[in-house]
């Protein structure tokens, strides 16, 4: 556990892809790409926030009660999304400058909630915090995202595990009926581990052109396509789930061949 941050950074290419895990109980760290990839002075104390904002306290307590009352992951995500939509309204474009000032001046979370300054980073952080409290194994992620509608930019979201498969939960982009947007990453738990390793392989490479480009695609039920990737290297060097699966299959085959050769030698 890092002494500087209230979570573990499990993958970081020091450029465009950061993956964090294990949010401390009661704190919501904000994951943003920057000089150190995390804004360390924005670890929001949920308890303090609740003491200062009665409405937020009541909504969060009710949300936590509802989460404890269901074993269905789909219902849990619906409950989390409903809380985020009601308690963490989207920051308007005219207020983005003030929001940025709040982040780097270390304003408390309650101030941002009160002034409707929340964006994807705050929503993803709170979603990951509630996922963890609900027993859903999840990661808070920040990367570049391209959407089929033409939008592109830095974005924070959640990757979670269910039945050994990894999915994206994007609390900043709900469906039209406010239902949570859940999408398949085409990675199982093992391949996601390989993906994080591929991200970390870049951490000591200081020339961005020599870093591997890492990323994966998701398509929502509404047909909207999301591309989550870094801008390191080139598209030709993209480390994707399909390449990782092929590399792992080749490694398994090589190990089997080596074992077969050893068996013949020992006969």
């Amino acid at each position: 556990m890092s002494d500087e941050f209230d979570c573990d950074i499990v993958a970081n290419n020091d450029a465009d892809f950061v993956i964090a895990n294990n949010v401390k109980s009661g704190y919501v760290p904000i994951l943003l790409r920057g000089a150190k990839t995390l804004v360390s002075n924005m670890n929001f104390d949920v308890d303090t926030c609740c003491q200062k904002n009665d409405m937020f306290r009541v909504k969060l307590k009710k949300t936590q009660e509802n989460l404890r009352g269901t074993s269905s992951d789909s219902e849990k995500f619906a409950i989390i999304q409903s809380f985020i939509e009601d308690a963490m309204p989207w920051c308007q474009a005219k207020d983005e400058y003030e929001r940025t000032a709040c982040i780097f001046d270390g304003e408390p979370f309650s101030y941002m909630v009160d002034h409707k300054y929340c964006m994807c980073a705050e929503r993803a952080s709170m979603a990951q915090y509630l996922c963890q409290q609900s027993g859903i194994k999840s990661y808070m992620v920040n990367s570049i995202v391209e959407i089929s509608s033409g939008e592109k930019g830095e974005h924070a979201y959640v990757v979670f595990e269910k039945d050994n498969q990894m999915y994206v939960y994007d609390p900043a982009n709900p469906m039209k009926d406010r239902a949570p947007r859940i999408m398949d990453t085409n990675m199982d738990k093992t391949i996601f581990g390989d993906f994080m390793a591929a991200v970390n392989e870049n951490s000591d490479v200081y020339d961005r052109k020599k870093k591997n480009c890492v990323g994966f695609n998701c398509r929502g039920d509404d047909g909207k396509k999301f591309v989550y990737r870094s801008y390191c290297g080139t598209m030709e060097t993209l480390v994707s789930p399909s390449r990782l699966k092929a590399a792992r299959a080749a490694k398994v085959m090589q190990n089997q061949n080596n074992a077969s050769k050893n068996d013949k030698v020992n006969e």
Side-chain angles (χ1 to χ4, degrees):
M1 176 72 72
S2 168
D3 292 332
E4 185 175 6
F5 307 125
D6 286 316
C7 61
D8 290 332
I9 305 300
V10 294
N12 178 15
N13 69 1
D14 197 28
D16 295 313
F17 230 108
V18 187
I19 303 175
N21 187 22
N22 296 327
V23 175
K24 285 184 181 178
S25 177
Y27 287 84
V28 184
I30 294 305
L31 187 61
L32 292 171
R33 188 163 54 89
K36 294 185 178 180
T37 68
L38 267 179
V39 180
S40 59
N41 63 348
M42 287 300 283
N43 295 312
F44 295 146
D45 186 331
V46 175
D47 292 333
T48 300
C49 174
C50 291
Q51 291 170 7
K52 295 180 178 180
N53 187 314
D54 290 338
M55 186 174 295
F56 189 92
R57 181 185 68 247
V58 171
K59 288 181 178 180
L60 180 59
K61 183 178 180 180
K62 182 62 175 179
T63 296
Q64 291 170 321
E65 290 175 353
N66 290 339
L67 288 171
R68 288 192 291 269
T70 180
S71 59
S72 166
D73 282 353
S74 60
E75 289 184 17
K76 288 179 180 179
F77 283 113
I79 291 169
I80 292 172
Q81 189 67 47
S82 178
F83 168 75
I84 287 173
E85 294 296 326
D86 290 338
M88 302 176 68
W90 195 253
C91 178
Q92 301 300 309
K94 64 182 177 64
D95 297 323
E96 288 182 9
Y97 178 83
E98 284 80 359
R99 172 187 178 269
T100 301
C102 283
I103 290 174
F104 291 100
D105 288 343
E107 291 288 357
F109 188 27
S110 57
Y111 183 87
M112 298 183 75
V113 170
D114 289 343
H115 289 77
K116 301 180 180 180
Y117 286 162
C118 295
M119 292 184 73
C120 62
E122 292 77 31
R123 284 186 165 207
S125 297
M126 180 58 73
Q128 202 275 341
Y129 169 78
L130 289 173
C131 281
Q132 181 168 294
Q133 286 204 325
S134 304
I136 299 173
K137 176 63 177 177
S138 57
Y139 300 84
M140 184 168 48
V141 189
N142 185 283
S143 73
I144 300 297
V145 177
E146 300 174 52
I147 306 177
S148 56
S149 61
E151 298 173 67
K152 179 170 65 177
E154 183 183 357
H155 191 53
Y157 50 97
V158 173
V159 171
F160 71 94
E161 178 186 336
K162 180 179 180 182
D163 300 330
N164 202 42
Q165 299 295 313
M166 308 305 298
Y167 298 87
V168 163
Y169 166 41
D170 189 345
N173 282 300
M175 306 295 280
K176 288 184 177 180
D177 58 357
R178 300 206 328 172
R181 184 177 296 277
I182 308 293
M183 298 179 288
D184 193 348
T185 68
N186 294 312
M187 289 184 279
D188 61 18
K189 182 178 178 180
T190 300
I191 297 301
F192 185 65
D194 292 345
F195 184 84
M196 290 191 290
V199 171
N200 283 327
E201 284 179 5
N202 285 327
S203 61
D204 295 326
V205 180
Y206 297 102
D207 185 346
R208 287 176 60 86
K209 293 181 179 178
K210 294 182 179 179
K211 290 178 182 283
N212 289 325
C213 184
V214 291
F216 57 92
N217 299 341
C218 290
R219 187 180 295 276
D221 292 338
D222 55 0
K224 186 178 290 188
K225 183 179 179 181
F226 293 74
V227 182
Y228 303 88
R229 70 180 183 88
S230 72
Y231 270 130
C232 299
T234 65
M235 284 300 292
E236 287 70 29
T237 65
L238 177 67
V239 178
S240 63
S242 59
R243 287 192 178 184
L244 291 169
K245 291 174 185 177
R248 179 161 285 275
K251 185 176 181 179
V252 170
M253 181 66 71
Q254 183 63 47
N255 290 340
Q256 291 175 343
N257 290 338
N258 291 340
S260 179
K261 290 178 182 178
N262 291 335
D263 289 342
K264 291 180 179 180
V265 170
N266 295 329
E267 288 179 353

